[in-house]
């Protein structure tokens, strides 16, 4: 590595959500900056005035904060090269466009949409490559005046040199393009707004970006950008184009493959550390079998030679595995705190802020029972509902196949009596009660355990029954058994 301090950037267009691909680009740049003690810049590319929204900017900023990807320069932070919103930098794009015009490296073009379409049609008939036909390359001052008098507003086009354009991609090695195939593309639109390929160069150059790391869907833009760097005499940064992310069906990643937006994962109750750990693996690997890393550990190991040259495959199952691992291993107090907003949202608790210590302890105990069984916090809300509501919802299938069976009311009745008499409510005493009832009725443990589970939780599967009973408490356990007996009787009477 040279001595030059690394400066990288994430430059999203705020036209939608922060999707997994964008988050990966942000993360890789962040990791690279942290690895080399460099600077991570966030720049908002909001020149698409129709599609850019403030809401989308907020979603991006929120998403990055949630993932822990803090930026050193950018919105809310400022920095030596501010502003970091392109729409606040229009004067800069105009200034350099003027210079390009003056140096005859760019020119005004007055062609209308119809004229351009006509020219393209002609080229296609003649089997020529479709390029701007340079009609306006050498207009005289009179021509320009005439067009302006007609009310035409010009765009500015870059004059592309007909030579080979090459760069050394940090991941792919030497990449070459035939400049002769490129069209003189528009750099400034007639409304004074720059196009992406132009604005991105002015900003990357002025912000002294040393390494441009982005998705390989941009690779065909890179030669166009290099032409601009060279035309303005700017240093060309290094480029690294990261292979795309695909779904398991090898199609471009989209909603079909699971949630596409980072905020949806937040809503579903994924742990940001787990999501970051997984996203890092969409293209990067440590080179060992180990997969669970903190983001700081990944930063330490994050070098480009560990980035795959092949497309990454997004797997929901793998993400769930990562999240489950974090759920199992993260400190219970931390997880409990994270769970509270989900409990509030589900109306399982009234207020997250002033929970009594006893309630907090209860939530913690429930979470301990569930943490090995859930993939995310939304699932917790579904699986653990019976710990938080008075009236449990007994799944009809569980009622029919387990509770509403010959002999079950008698079994539950016997158990209810034994459990009511327990003085010291713990796993051992409740298990003893079940075993005793089993032997006195001469039935197998399972014949008591299954209906009891359904009576207490409404579900056929869940955590170990004795642990469940201890956390639920003696009072509720007994009440629910009585209630289940009533329900079975009601069902019988209805027949
Ligand atoms: N605004 C562009 C995008 O979101 C940035 C591409 C780049 O990194 O140059 O795709």
């Amino acid at each position: 590595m040279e001595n030059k301090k690394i400066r990288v950037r994430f430059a999203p267009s705020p036209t939608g959500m922060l999707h997994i691909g964008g988050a990966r680009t942000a993360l890789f740049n962040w990791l690279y900056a942290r690895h080399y003690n460099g600077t991570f810049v966030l720049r908002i590319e909001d020149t698409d005035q129709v599609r850019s929204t403030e809401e989308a900017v907020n979603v991006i900023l929120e998403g990055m904060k949630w993932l822990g990807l803090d930026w050193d320069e950018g919105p809310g932070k400022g920095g030596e090269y501010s502003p970091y919103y392109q729409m606040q930098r229009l004067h800069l794009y105009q200034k350099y466009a003027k210079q390009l015009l003056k140096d005859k490296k760019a020119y005004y073009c007055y062609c209308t949409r119809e004229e351009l379409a006509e020219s393209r049609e002609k080229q296609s008939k003649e089997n020529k490559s479709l390029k701007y036909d340079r009609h306006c390359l050498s207009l005289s001052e009179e021509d320009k005046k005439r067009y302006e008098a007609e009310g035409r507003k010009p765009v500015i086009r870059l004059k592309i040199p007909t030579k080979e354009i090459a760069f050394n991609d940090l991941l792919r090695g030497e990449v070459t393009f035939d400049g002769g195939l490129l069209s003189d593309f528009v750099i400034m639109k007639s409304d004074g707004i720059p196009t992406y390929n132009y604005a991105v160069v002015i900003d990357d150059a002025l912000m002294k970006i040393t390494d441009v790391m982005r998705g390989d869907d941009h690779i065909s833009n890179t030669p166009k950008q290099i032409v601009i760097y060279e035309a303005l005499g700017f240093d060309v940064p290094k480029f690294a184009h990261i292979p795309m992310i695909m779904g398991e069906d090898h199609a471009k990643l989209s909603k079909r493959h699971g949630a596409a937006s980072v905020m949806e994962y937040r809503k579903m109750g994924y742990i940001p550390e787990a999501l970051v750990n997984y996203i890092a693996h969409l293209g990067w690997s440590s080179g060992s079998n180990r997969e669970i890393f903190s983001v700081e550990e990944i930063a330490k190991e994050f070098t480009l030679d560990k980035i795959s040259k092949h497309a990454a495959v997004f797997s929901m199952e793998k993400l769930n595995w990562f999240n489950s691992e974090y759920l199992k291993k993260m400190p219970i107090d931390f997880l409990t705190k994270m769970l509270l907003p989900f409990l509030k949202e589900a109306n399982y608790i009234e207020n997250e802020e002033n929970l009594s210590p006893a309630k907090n302890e209860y939530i913690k105990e429930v979470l301990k029972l569930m943490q090995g069984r859930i993939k995310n916090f939304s699932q917790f809300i579904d699986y653990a509902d019976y710990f938080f509501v008075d009236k449990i919802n007994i799944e009809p299938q569980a009622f029919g196949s387990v509770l509403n069976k010959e002999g079950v009311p008698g079994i539950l009745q016997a158990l209810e009596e034994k459990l009511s008499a327990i003085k010291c409510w713990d796993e051992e005493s409740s298990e003893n009660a079940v075993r005793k009832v089993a032997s006195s009725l001469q039935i197998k443990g399972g014949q008591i355990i299954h209906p009891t589970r359904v009576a207490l939780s409404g579900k056929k599967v869940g955590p170990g029954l004795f642990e469940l009973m201890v956390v639920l408490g003696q009072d509720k356990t007994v009440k629910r058994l009585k209630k289940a007996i009533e329900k079975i009787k009601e069902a019988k009477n209805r027949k």
Side-chain angles (χ1 to χ4, degrees), residues 403 408-414 416 455 480-490:
L403 276 190
V408 168
I411 295 172
L412 296 184
Q413 177 80 44
E416 183 265 299
R480 284 186 189 179
L481 287 173
K482 284 185 181 159
K483 187 91 200 153
I485 298 166
E486 262 172 47
K487 274 198 176 152
I488 302 167
K489 284 186 180 150
E490 274 169 29

Side-chain angles (χ1 to χ4, degrees), residues 149-167:
E150 285 175 21
R152 297 186 186 217
K153 290 221 155 45
V155 299
I156 302 176
R157 287 186 186 274
L158 192 75
K159 189 175 161 195
I160 305 277
T162 44
K163 59 165 195 162
E164 192 176 81
I165 303 160
F167 66 95

Side-chain angles (χ1 to χ4, degrees), residues 225-462:
Q225 297 175 10
I226 289 174
V227 175
I228 305 175
Y229 282 103
E230 288 176 349
L232 286 165
F234 289 143
D235 285 346
V236 181
K238 294 183 185 142
F239 291 97
H241 290 93
I242 319 163
M244 66 184 258
I245 307 174
M246 302 182 304
E248 281 173 295
D249 54 0
H250 287 214
K252 190 169 183 259
L253 190 63
S254 75
K255 266 206 144 105
R256 280 186 296 128
H257 304 105
S261 114
V262 167
M263 287 323 222
E264 273 177 69
Y265 288 100
R266 179 185 180 163
K267 256 201 225 135
M268 287 190 277
Y270 282 84
I271 298 169
E273 285 83 349
L275 186 57
V276 163
N277 194 159
Y278 177 57
I279 292 177
H281 281 87
L282 292 172
W284 172 86
S285 71
S286 67
S288 72
N289 286 335
R290 186 178 156 197
E291 292 183 291
I292 300 293
F293 291 89
S294 71
V295 75
E296 290 77 20
E297 288 171 323
I298 299 175
K300 217 179 258 171
E301 301 211 13
F302 193 83
T303 46
L304 294 179
D305 55 311
K306 290 181 181 150
I307 294 182
S308 164
K309 292 182 176 55
H310 307 288
V313 175
F314 179 86
S315 151
M316 199 65 201
E317 202 181 310
K318 190 74 194 188
L319 168 60
N320 284 335
W321 178 81
F322 271 95
N323 208 55
S324 305
E325 290 300 299
Y326 276 76
L327 277 165
K328 279 184 233 155
K329 290 183 187 133
M330 287 189 110
I332 192 73
D333 285 322
F334 176 88
L335 292 173
T336 305
K337 204 157 171 237
M338 206 165 182
L339 176 64
L340 297 183
F342 291 88
L343 296 177
K344 167 85 181 57
E345 168 89 19
N347 277 327
Y348 291 175
I349 57 170
E350 263 173 31
N351 208 328
E352 311 165 34
E353 280 82 41
N354 35 34
L355 274 184
S356 68
K359 185 83 184 180
N360 201 58
E361 199 51 36
Y362 178 70
I363 296 169
K364 207 171 8 177
E365 290 306 315
V366 177
L367 184 53
K368 274 192 207 160
L369 287 186
M370 293 290 170
Q371 79 189 127
R373 321 185 143 257
I374 52 168
K375 296 193 181 102
N376 55 48
F377 288 136
S378 297
Q379 245 182 12
F380 178 95
I381 296 300
D382 288 342
Y383 289 9
D385 56 346
Y386 55 91
F387 283 105
F388 298 93
V389 295
D390 284 334
K391 230 178 126 233
I392 60 161
N393 178 22
I394 298 183
E395 290 168 2
Q397 209 273 338
F399 184 80
S401 68
V402 183
L403 276 190
N404 202 7
K405 283 268 145 96
E406 203 50 50
V408 168
I411 295 172
L412 296 184
Q413 177 80 44
L415 181 65
E416 183 265 299
E417 281 161 21
K418 264 270 169 313
L419 292 174
S420 301
I422 290 179
K423 292 268 167 337
C424 174
W425 186 252
D426 59 20
E427 257 180 69
E428 204 187 325
S429 59
S430 52
E431 181 167 358
N432 270 338
V434 170
R435 304 279 169 229
K436 276 193 188 135
V437 172
S439 81
S440 73
L441 299 179
Q442 293 188 320
I443 53 176
K444 289 203 196 95
Q447 282 174 278
I448 306 181
I449 289 172
H450 299 314
T452 303
R453 172 186 301 290
V454 175
L456 299 183
S457 69
K459 302 177 199 314
K460 277 163 73 170
V461 288

Side-chain angles (χ1 to χ4, degrees), residues 42-279:
L42 174 61
R43 181 175 69 232
I44 304 295
E45 304 209 325
D46 53 357
T47 53
D48 182 340
Q49 287 178 286
V50 178
R51 293 170 61 224
S52 298
T53 63
E54 188 156 340
E55 195 198 333
V57 173
N58 290 335
V59 166
I60 292 167
L61 303 185
E62 274 296 300
M64 289 183 61
K65 281 182 203 159
W66 181 65
L67 292 174
L69 305 179
D70 55 326
W71 51 99
D72 306 307
E73 291 174 23
K77 267 266 162 108
E80 209 176 319
Y81 305 97
S82 69
Y84 292 91
Y85 287 81
Q86 287 191 325
M87 284 307 281
Q88 295 171 20
R89 301 172 62 79
L90 295 182
H91 58 290
L92 296 166
Y93 311 128
Q94 274 145 16
K95 173 178 157 191
Y96 287 96
K98 265 191 203 139
Q99 186 178 323
L100 289 168
L101 286 168
K102 193 169 129 259
D103 295 347
K104 302 250 176 302
K105 290 176 174 164
Y107 58 93
Y108 284 114
C109 166
Y110 292 85
C111 293
T112 62
R113 216 179 277 264
E114 294 72 31
E115 286 163 349
L116 293 173
E118 219 170 275
S119 147
R120 267 199 305 272
E121 204 172 309
K122 191 163 163 255
Q123 287 172 343
S124 117
K125 267 192 198 134
E126 291 165 6
N127 272 337
K128 287 189 181 152
S129 58
L130 302 184
K131 294 199 322 188
Y132 177 59
D133 62 8
R134 292 194 159 171
H135 175 270
C136 295
L137 179 60
S138 340
L139 293 181
S140 64
E141 287 310 307
E142 286 78 61
D143 292 335
K144 288 186 195 164
K145 280 204 186 106
R146 204 183 63 243
Y147 283 138
E148 268 158 37
E150 285 175 21
R152 297 186 186 217
K153 290 221 155 45
V155 299
I156 302 176
R157 287 186 186 274
L158 192 75
K159 189 175 161 195
I160 305 277
T162 44
K163 59 165 195 162
E164 192 176 81
I165 303 160
F167 66 95
N168 189 24
D169 188 279
L170 295 176
L171 292 174
R172 309 167 162 236
E174 172 97 347
V175 180
T176 53
F177 283 88
D178 177 0
L181 295 176
L182 292 180
S183 179
D184 288 353
F185 62 90
V186 175
I187 56 169
M188 288 292 266
K189 295 187 279 182
S190 57
D191 56 3
I193 309 284
T195 57
Y196 155 68
N197 276 312
Y198 173 59
V200 78
V201 170
I202 302 301
D203 289 343
D204 284 341
L206 297 184
M207 292 180 181
K208 305 230 162 29
I209 299 302
T210 55
D211 300 68
V212 170
M213 202 187 306
R214 59 187 172 200
D216 66 4
D217 48 333
H218 280 289
I219 200 149
S220 60
N221 287 319
T222 305
K224 299 183 189 171
Q225 297 175 10
I226 289 174
V227 175
I228 305 175
Y229 282 103
E230 288 176 349
L232 286 165
F234 289 143
D235 285 346
V236 181
K238 294 183 185 142
F239 291 97
H241 290 93
I242 319 163
M244 66 184 258
I245 307 174
M246 302 182 304
E248 281 173 295
D249 54 0
H250 287 214
K252 190 169 183 259
L253 190 63
S254 75
K255 266 206 144 105
R256 280 186 296 128
H257 304 105
S261 114
V262 167
M263 287 323 222
E264 273 177 69
Y265 288 100
R266 179 185 180 163
K267 256 201 225 135
M268 287 190 277
Y270 282 84
I271 298 169
E273 285 83 349
L275 186 57
V276 163
N277 194 159
Y278 177 57
I279 292 177

